[in-house]
């Protein structure tokens, strides 16, 4: 494998990781602040993608579509938080898993009902298609590069918000001692709704951005959701920094594994079995990574003690 | 407690009487439907052993369900194609005998559950839920990319596996086999839950420190429970493969794990017969709502949401009270 191809694959891995971070950030915030495990996070990703596809089809504007994905997912987040999720904060994880599993069923079938079973198409706009020349003569897709940048900007603003703003202080305080900040006059239920909606909006945005390179269809959220879970488990649940590092680790492992492992096995196996062994091992690689991390650090890389 | 025993007995009678009636009026589809409920019930009983008795929220029981199915599928594949499963270090061929495949499924599921449990039980809470899910996903992707055994398309069994002395292609005879297995599994689980191991497991779920103080090791209790749980769910997977004469990676998917959990919750967590009621309820919902609309999962979701939010303890909790429901 040539070095250029390797760098391109590494960039793809970074792009995948950055998108996973958008998903994982919401999950880890919601778990860290509210102690809630939310399986329906993948449905919010799907809602974002469908909202973007619908708006893009109606207006033809990709930017409007992105705004719509962000707003619609946030709105869906507020709705389910208000009607369902807030009843689950004091419940055990089993109830949370089941109730959010039920939400997935409702969201998926509801979307199928509204939009049909066929995938929708969301095209990237002309001004974002094509390739750019990076230093050292690397040709790379402009859209994927923009995704990486958008993801990094969102990550930076999230870090800034949590570290520097009043709302971030409240979120961190909520993680430490929710009763105390309630006693200090912070409207906890409003804070919870805000955190949930923020996570939902980020998931929706990720759905729209990815929807433009893959297809927009029912059930698109769950594979990503499970990867996002792997990310936050590796990073340590509740840690934004862990989510970022975990996401990039998972993104790189998955993408590079898929391209490198078959080539690696090809060195000492015949081509056909190298391809199949490489493919099966690389599809398991991130789970092996997670198991490895958990064996040495049962609370993840940046998990609390 | 009395109400619960009555409900248990009623369930067993209905599960026996309904297919007999269907046989009498010649409705083989209804017999198969009941058999499906019974197989789901066994899978649920398996999960309930870890979830209800041990408090281990496993979202990866599809791993055992799928493994059981693939044991049947792979052995039958080799028997059908007359190819050996392996030649070295000793020759093993395929087989289409139900008892042999079941036993293999149970043994392999136990081994897998020991391995997964030994690694997963190092973690607790959400980490445990996620790591069990991850193991099942790993096997899911592995079977998808394993092209020898059909990959994404799965494997078909041309003829249902055989059982000595019975014609398994006859729905009522296959139903009888599954019903007897259900009774045996129920009896075993009931006995274990009353044994000193079962009591220690329940105590450990409620208060780990105390059980440690009297000299038990919670990890060992949990691991044993997880292995038994995996073995039962693996057996259910094998029966499911026999029932459908088809296995596919879907058996490993996380939706399967979720559905097995739904059987347990609809019926009532931590009761021996809970998953039986849950599986019957699930099949009833699937059959009636599925006839109403092709989008019946919406209603299933709504029912499930209602049960979780308002009717904790499931069907058994509603009818028999919550006195033995899990803490």
């Amino acid at each position: 494998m040539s070095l250029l191809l390797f760098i391109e694959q590494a960039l793809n891995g970074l792009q995948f990781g950055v998108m996973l971070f958008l998903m994982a950030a919401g999950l880890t915030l919601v778990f860290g602040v509210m102690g809630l495990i939310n399986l329906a996070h993948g449905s919010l990703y799907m809602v974002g993608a469908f909202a973007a596809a619908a708006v893009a089809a109606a207006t033809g504007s990709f930017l409007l579509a992105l705004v719509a994905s962000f707003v619609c997912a946030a709105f869906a987040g507020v709705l389910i938080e208000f009607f369902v999720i807030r009843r689950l904060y004091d419940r055990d994880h089993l109830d949370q898993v089941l109730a959010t599993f039920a939400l997935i069923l409702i969201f998926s079938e509801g979307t199928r009902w509204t939009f049909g079973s066929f995938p929708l198409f969301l095209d990237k706009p002309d001004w974002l298609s094509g390739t750019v020349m990076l230093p050292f003569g690397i040709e790379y897709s402009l859209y994927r590069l923009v995704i990486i940048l958008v993801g990094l900007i969102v990550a930076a603003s999230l870090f800034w918000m949590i570290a520097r703003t009043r709302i971030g202080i409240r979120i961190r305080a909520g993680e430490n001692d929710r009763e105390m900040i309630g006693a200090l006059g912070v409207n906890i239920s409003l804070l919870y709704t805000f955190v949930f909606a923020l996570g939902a909006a980020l998931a929706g945005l990720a759905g729209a951005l990815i929807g433009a390179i893959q297809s927009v269809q029912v059930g698109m959220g769950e594979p990503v959701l499970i990867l996002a879970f792997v990310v936050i488990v590796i990073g340590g649940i509740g840690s934004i920094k862990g989510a970022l590092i975990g996401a990039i680790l998972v993104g790189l492992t998955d993408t590079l594994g898929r391209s490198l492992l078959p080539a690696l096995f090809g060195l000492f196996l015949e081509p056909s079995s190298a391809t199949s062994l490489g493919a099966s091992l690389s599809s398991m690689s991130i789970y092996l990574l997670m198991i490895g991390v958990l064996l040495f650090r049962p609370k993840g890389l940046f998990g609390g003690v | 407690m009395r109400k619960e025993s009555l409900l248990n007995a009623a369930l067993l009678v209905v599960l026996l009487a309904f297919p007999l009636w269907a046989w009498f009026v010649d409705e083989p589809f209804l017999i198969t439907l009941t058999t499906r409920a019974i197989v789901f019930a066994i899978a649920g009983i398996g999960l309930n052993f870890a979830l209800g008795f041990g408090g281990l929220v496993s979202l990866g029981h599809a791993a055992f369900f799928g493994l059981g199915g693939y044991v049947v599928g792979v052995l039958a594949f080799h028997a059908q194609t007359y190819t050996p499963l392996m030649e070295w270090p000793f020759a093993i061929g395929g087989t289409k005998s139900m008892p042999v495949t079941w036993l293999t499924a149970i043994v392999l599921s136990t081994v897998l559950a020991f391995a997964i449990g030994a690694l997963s039980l190092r973690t607790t809470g959400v980490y445990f839920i996620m790591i069990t899910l991850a193991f099942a996903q790993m096997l899911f992707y592995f079977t998808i990319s394993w092209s020898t055994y059909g990959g994404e398309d799965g494997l078909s069994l041309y003829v249902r596996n055989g059982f000595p002395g019975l014609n398994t292609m006859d729905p009522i005879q296959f139903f009888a086999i599954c019903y007897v297995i259900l009774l045996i599994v129920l009896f075993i689980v009931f006995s274990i839950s009353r044994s000193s191991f079962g009591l220690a497991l329940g105590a450990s779920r409620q208060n780990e420190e105390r059980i440690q103080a009297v000299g038990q090791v919670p990890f060992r209790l949990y691991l044993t429970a997880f292995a038994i749980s995996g073995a039962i769910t693996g057996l259910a997977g094998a029966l499911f493969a026999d029932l459908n004469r088809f296995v596919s990676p879907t058996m490993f998917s996380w939706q399967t794990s979720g559905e097995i959990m739904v059987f347990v919750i609809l019926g009532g967590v931590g009761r021996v017969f809970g998953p039986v009621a849950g599986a019957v309820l699930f099949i009833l919902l699937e059959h009636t709502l599925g006839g109403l609309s092709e989008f019946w999962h919406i209603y299933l979701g709504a029912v499930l949401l209602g049960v979780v939010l308002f009717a904790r303890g499931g069907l058994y909790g509603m009818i028999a009270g919550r006195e033995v429901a899990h803490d």
Side-chain angles (χ1 to χ4, degrees):
Chain A
M1 172 172 291
S2 71
L3 186 65
L4 279 186
L5 198 56
F6 177 80
I7 294 178
E8 191 184 329
Q9 290 297 334
L11 281 174
N12 281 344
L14 186 64
Q15 175 258 314
F16 186 37
V18 160
M19 282 301 102
L20 281 177
F21 170 72
L22 288 189
M23 280 289 280
L27 273 180
T28 207
L29 266 182
V30 165
F31 188 83
V33 180
M34 288 95 105
L36 177 96
I37 166 169
N38 178 21
L39 294 188
H41 206 66
S43 300
L44 297 163
Y45 174 87
M46 180 186 72
V47 166
F50 272 92
V55 168
T59 65
S61 158
F62 188 70
L63 283 181
L64 268 183
L66 285 189
V67 173
S69 72
F70 196 80
V71 173
C72 284
F75 183 68
V78 170
L79 271 185
I80 60 173
E81 201 275 341
F82 186 78
F83 285 107
V84 179
I85 303 286
R86 61 172 54 182
R87 290 163 221 277
L88 297 170
Y89 294 142
D90 299 330
R91 299 289 191 85
D92 55 20
H93 293 317
L94 177 60
D95 286 351
Q96 297 171 348
V97 165
L98 282 160
T100 50
F101 181 71
L103 283 178
I104 294 183
L105 294 179
I106 295 174
F107 265 103
S108 296
E109 290 300 297
T111 313
R112 209 192 302 274
W113 205 337
T114 325
F115 290 94
S117 300
F118 294 103
L120 299 185
F121 291 99
L122 174 64
D123 286 329
K124 48 192 180 194
D126 291 337
W127 49 275
L128 280 180
S129 44
T131 56
V132 279
M133 283 307 265
L134 297 179
F136 312 111
I138 303 159
E139 205 175 340
Y140 195 65
S141 151
L142 174 64
Y143 185 74
R144 285 179 188 266
L145 198 66
V146 169
I147 288 187
I148 296 178
L149 290 180
V150 170
L152 291 179
I153 291 169
V154 170
S157 1
L158 207 58
F159 278 111
W160 173 78
M161 189 194 86
I162 299 229
R164 296 267 179 246
T165 63
R166 181 160 287 272
I167 191 107
I169 292 172
R170 288 182 176 166
I171 289 174
R172 278 182 290 140
E175 282 181 29
N176 285 330
D177 193 335
R178 58 193 81 173
E179 272 140 41
M180 186 52 106
I181 69 157
L184 290 172
V186 175
N187 185 341
I188 299 216
S189 79
L190 202 62
L191 180 71
Y192 282 7
T193 311
F194 172 77
V195 171
F196 196 86
L198 177 69
L202 292 180
L205 183 65
L209 285 171
I210 291 297
I213 34 182
Q214 295 169 357
S215 61
V216 176
Q217 57 188 341
V218 173
M220 65 187 288
E222 279 66 45
V224 186
L225 170 84
I226 292 172
L227 290 182
F229 272 128
V230 171
V231 164
I232 65 171
V233 166
I234 288 178
I237 299 176
S239 158
I240 293 277
K241 186 167 78 177
L244 183 60
I245 291 174
I248 289 172
L249 263 179
V250 167
L252 286 176
T253 309
D254 189 64
T255 313
L256 290 180
R258 267 171 221 287
S259 55
L260 288 187
L261 278 178
L264 189 69
F265 285 118
L267 294 180
F268 48 90
L269 285 175
E270 52 181 306
S272 67
S273 51
T275 319
S276 67
L277 186 64
S280 30
L281 259 186
S282 60
S283 59
M284 297 172 24
S285 59
I286 53 164
Y287 301 103
L288 295 173
L289 174 74
M290 164 173 155
I291 291 160
V293 168
L294 282 187
L295 283 182
F296 294 102
R297 299 191 66 113
K299 295 256 174 202
L301 294 175
F302 296 91
V305 211
Chain B
M1 203 56 214
R2 299 288 84 80
K3 269 188 187 166
E4 189 174 344
S5 316
L6 270 178
L7 194 57
N8 295 348
L11 261 176
L12 287 184
V13 170
V14 169
L15 272 180
L16 185 60
F18 181 72
L20 284 178
W21 168 80
W23 184 45
F24 191 68
V25 298
D26 199 23
E27 289 274 6
F29 170 69
L30 294 179
I31 305 177
T32 306
L33 201 65
T34 322
T35 316
R36 206 169 125 87
I38 286 179
V39 173
F40 283 166
I42 298 174
I45 292 170
L47 176 62
N48 194 27
F49 202 86
L51 182 69
F53 300 152
L56 308 170
V57 184
S58 160
L59 196 51
H61 260 52
F64 313 120
F65 195 69
L67 180 68
Y70 265 82
V71 165
V72 170
V74 166
L75 286 176
F77 170 79
H78 285 287
Q80 277 166 186
T81 55
Y82 303 103
T83 47
L85 183 63
M86 53 191 257
E87 287 165 338
W88 187 89
F90 37 83
I92 298 181
T95 172
K96 300 222 22 149
S97 152
M98 280 188 182
V100 178
T101 52
W102 294 339
L103 207 64
T104 320
I106 292 176
V107 170
L108 290 183
S109 307
T110 313
V111 172
L112 180 68
F114 254 113
I116 293 184
L119 293 171
S120 312
L121 283 167
R122 295 168 52 90
T123 63
T124 51
V126 193
Y127 289 94
F128 183 80
I129 300 179
M130 290 306 123
I131 196 171
T132 48
L133 174 66
F135 273 114
Q137 282 300 107
M138 204 164 90
L139 291 170
F140 174 68
Y141 287 117
F142 181 73
T143 44
I144 282 191
S145 52
W146 201 16
S147 49
T148 322
Y149 297 118
E152 212 163 344
D153 299 327
L155 283 172
S156 288
L157 285 68
Y158 305 134
V159 182
R160 191 173 278 160
N161 284 351
F163 191 91
L166 291 175
N167 171 17
T168 52
M169 284 308 276
D170 181 11
I172 193 76
Q173 297 196 29
F174 184 63
F175 160 80
I177 295 175
C178 294
Y179 189 78
V180 170
I181 292 180
L182 174 70
L183 291 183
I184 297 173
V185 168
L186 280 171
F187 175 75
I188 293 175
V189 168
F190 184 75
S191 314
I192 297 180
S193 74
R194 290 295 160 95
S195 70
S196 59
F197 163 73
L199 295 176
L201 179 65
S204 181
R205 184 192 77 226
Q206 286 163 11
N207 193 328
E208 254 177 45
E209 281 85 18
R210 285 198 186 170
I211 206 77
Q212 266 170 327
V214 295
Q216 294 274 7
V217 185
F219 178 82
R220 263 186 231 156
L221 295 171
Y222 291 146
L223 188 57
T224 316
F226 199 76
I228 297 174
S229 166
I232 299 174
T233 306
L235 174 63
L239 290 173
F240 192 70
D242 284 331
L243 174 68
N244 296 331
R245 289 182 285 135
F246 175 66
V247 290
S248 76
T250 319
M251 288 181 78
F252 282 108
S253 71
W254 73 276
Q255 284 94 339
T256 305
S257 297
E259 279 181 7
I260 299 178
M261 202 179 251
V262 169
F263 306 147
V264 178
I265 305 304
L266 282 181
V269 181
R271 316 217 188 205
V272 178
F273 278 73
V276 184
V280 170
L281 202 60
F282 183 87
I283 293 290
L284 272 180
L285 285 174
E286 184 183 54
H287 194 59
T288 52
L289 296 178
L292 280 182
S293 150
E294 74 176 288
F295 305 106
W296 72 281
H297 273 111
I298 290 196
Y299 304 110
L300 176 70
V303 169
L304 186 60
L305 204 55
V307 169
V308 176
L309 291 182
F310 306 111
R312 303 175 70 190
L315 193 70
Y316 265 84
M318 264 158 47
I319 295 178
R322 296 201 58 204
E323 74 266 40
V324 290
H326 88 125
D327 43 26

